[in-house]
């Protein structure tokens, strides 16, 4: 039987987080507070939505092997997980990626109460910021606006706590992308410019925000501002080499520049959009980037309309609609092409409209499409 002063020292140690509560004391605390152990202490792991927990177990094993609450090895592993998830974005169904991202957020949240140095805490907070940002992007893809707004607020707050301007800039750029897909084009310009002000100059967030600004100007129909933004992107991209992981959502791949140019010029109605769109589609065919392939086809369809080639535009749009892989954040792009084809009085536009209605009705009843493609980022 331990002496009273030993018990008091042990309890103070538990309260201060100096050591973990062992099985014996967990039971005693549960009896004292008249609560179940799991309710009082938690299960020690975040809830798993899809029945698999390999990622979590690997992280927890690495942490325990280092014999530390949160140490360098754990943080390196978590930062690697962020890179893996961000690289999976272009080829993953947003609902599936959201499950994986939320799992890691739960783990990071639990680690926040552990002992660590100030530098380690800043790195852990930054990991939480990246994961919140990616989860918000998936929420936008799925049309979950309130959830996305909450996660973006969290990402911005964590970016400030971690003193991480790149995350803050990406948060503003994501807001700009959402405003663009919602049709709030002037707001998208303002947010994209704000992202550029917050971002480290010439970094990935800065380039992406500049490209987003150009797309918003194109939707407003302002040719001079649009081409100015395109020119700035071109000068920023020219000296860049292809990154080690070009599919990484938060590392700008110079090859994205042509795809963005195709989208921007097609929205502006510039005939040059057709060649950019065809070139982009040719390079993407056969790659593991379904989002980019579908977006390139939509760019091509819109450019073909501007070039007076509605038949090919219709065929190209039908390929996109029939794929069943567009998520809510990109339905509007297909819809505007269908409306334009209908305005031309083409009888073939009716089957395209019906296919679109059927496909999206099926998606609403069945949930998010597997392997879906979101709006161009």
């Amino acid at each position: 039987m331990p002496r009273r002063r030993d018990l008091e020292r042990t309890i103070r140690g538990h309260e201060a987080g100096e050591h973990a509560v062992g099985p014996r004391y967990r039971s005693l605390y549960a009896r004292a507070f008249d609560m179940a152990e799991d309710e009082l202490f938690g299960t020690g792991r975040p809830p798993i939505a899809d029945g698999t927990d390999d990622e979590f177990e690997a992280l927890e094993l690495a942490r325990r092997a280092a014999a530390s609450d949160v140490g360098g090895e754990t943080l390196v592993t978590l930062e690697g997980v962020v890179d893996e998830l961000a690289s999976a974005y272009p080829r993953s169904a947003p609902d599936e990626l959201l499950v994986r991202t939320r799992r890691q957020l739960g783990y990071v949240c639990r680690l926040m109460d552990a002992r660590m140095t100030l530098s380690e805490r800043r790195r852990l907070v930054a990991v939480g910021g990246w994961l919140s940002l990616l989860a918000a992007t998936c929420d936008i893809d799925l049309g979950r606006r309130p959830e996305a707004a909450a996660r973006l607020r969290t990402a911005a707050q964590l970016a400030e706590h971690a003193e991480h301007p790149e995350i803050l800039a990406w948060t503003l750029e994501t807001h700009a992308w959402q405003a663009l897909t919602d049709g709030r084009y002037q707001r998208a310009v303002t947010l994209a410019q704000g992202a550029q002000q917050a971002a480290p100059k010439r970094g990935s967030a800065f380039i992406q925000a500049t490209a987003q600004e150009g797309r918003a100007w194109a939707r407003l129909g302002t040719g001079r501002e649009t081409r100015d933004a395109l020119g700035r992107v071109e000068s920023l991209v020219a000296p860049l080499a292809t990154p080690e992981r070009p599919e990484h959502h938060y590392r700008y791949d110079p090859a994205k520049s042509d795809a963005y140019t195709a989208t921007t010029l097609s929205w502006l109605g510039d005939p040059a959009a057709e060649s950019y769109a065809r070139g982009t589609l040719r390079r993407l065919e056969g790659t593991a980037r379904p989002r980019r392939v579908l977006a390139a086809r939509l760019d091509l369809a819109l450019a073909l309309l501007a070039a007076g080639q509605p038949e090919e535009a219709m065929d190209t749009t039908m390929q996109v609609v029939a794929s069943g892989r567009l998520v809510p954040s990109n339905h509007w792009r297909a819809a505007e092409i269908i409306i334009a084809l209908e305005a031309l009085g083409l009888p073939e536009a009716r089957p395209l409209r019906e296919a679109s209605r059927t496909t999206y009705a099926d998606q609403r009843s069945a949930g998010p499409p597997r392997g879906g493609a979101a709006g161009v980022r």
Side-chain angles (χ1 to χ4, degrees), residues 20-350:
V21 181
R24 178 184 179 187
Y25 285 99
R26 287 168 65 100
S27 176
L28 291 173
Y29 279 126
R31 287 168 57 189
F33 287 99
D34 193 24
M35 296 173 65
E37 284 188 41
D38 284 352
E39 183 181 2
L40 184 58
F41 295 101
T43 61
R45 63 199 300 168
I48 305 302
D50 63 355
T52 62
D53 57 3
D54 292 348
E55 291 173 313
F56 170 82
E57 289 180 352
L59 283 165
E60 184 64 8
L61 180 60
R63 183 180 73 84
R64 292 188 179 187
S68 171
D69 285 345
V70 178
E73 291 183 25
T74 298
L75 290 166
V76 168
T77 303
L78 281 169
E79 288 162 350
V81 167
V82 169
D83 288 338
E84 289 293 337
L85 293 174
S87 298
Y89 179 77
R91 61 179 183 273
S92 300
D95 56 328
E96 294 175 353
L97 187 60
L98 182 59
V99 167
R100 294 177 61 193
T101 305
R102 288 178 62 187
R103 181 187 306 138
Q104 301 303 334
L105 273 168
Y107 184 60
V108 168
C109 184
R110 291 183 184 279
L111 287 180
M112 288 293 182
D113 293 328
R115 292 174 301 167
M116 67 191 88
T117 66
L118 182 61
S119 175
E120 289 168 344
R121 181 168 297 280
R122 184 175 289 115
R123 287 173 65 186
L124 184 64
V125 170
V127 166
W130 285 120
L131 291 172
S132 297
L133 180 60
L134 184 59
T137 303
C138 293
D139 281 326
I140 294 171
D141 288 339
L142 297 168
R144 292 158 45 94
R145 291 299 194 260
E147 293 86 349
R151 293 192 196 281
L152 285 174
R153 283 195 299 271
T154 298
Q157 290 168 356
L158 294 176
E160 291 182 2
H161 287 306
E163 299 178 356
H164 204 302
E166 184 83 2
I167 296 176
L168 182 60
W170 275 109
T171 301
L172 290 169
E173 188 278 336
T174 302
H175 274 299
W177 168 60
Q178 183 175 8
L180 187 69
T181 61
D182 288 344
R184 295 177 291 129
Y185 306 131
Q186 190 60 59
R187 177 62 176 160
V189 168
T190 301
L191 287 165
Q193 291 174 339
Q196 292 168 64
Q197 292 173 3
K201 298 303 179 266
R202 307 191 76 82
S204 291
F206 186 85
I207 300 172
Q208 180 76 10
T210 306
Q212 207 68 271
E213 180 192 347
R215 297 206 306 162
W217 283 125
R219 296 301 288 184
L220 289 167
T222 54
R224 183 175 64 81
E225 289 86 351
T226 300
R227 290 184 172 82
D228 175 70
L230 287 175
R232 282 183 277 137
V233 171
E234 184 177 359
S235 65
L236 288 166
V237 168
L240 294 182
T242 300
E244 183 179 343
R245 295 174 112 163
E247 70 278 9
H248 196 297
H249 189 53
Y250 300 113
R251 293 178 189 161
Y252 198 88
D253 175 14
K256 288 174 66 174
S257 178
D258 282 351
Y260 268 78
T261 300
T263 303
T264 305
L265 293 179
S266 67
W267 285 347
L268 197 60
D270 191 312
E274 183 183 348
S275 62
Y276 276 101
R278 289 192 189 279
T280 299
L281 187 56
R282 187 168 51 252
R283 286 188 295 273
L284 289 171
E285 290 285 10
T287 67
R289 300 187 188 184
R291 299 175 189 272
R292 293 278 164 209
V293 171
L294 293 183
R297 287 196 176 122
L298 289 174
D299 290 336
L300 178 58
L302 197 58
L304 289 167
L305 274 174
Q309 304 176 58
E311 291 79 10
E312 187 180 353
M314 192 173 315
D315 292 341
T316 303
T317 307
M318 181 61 86
Q319 293 177 44
V320 174
V321 171
S323 73
R325 303 180 75 175
L326 284 177
V327 295
S329 65
N330 216 8
H331 288 178
W332 66 276
R333 293 204 62 201
E336 72 174 0
I337 296 172
I338 294 172
I339 291 171
L341 289 167
E342 289 174 333
L344 294 175
L346 299 173
E348 296 88 347
R350 183 171 182 177

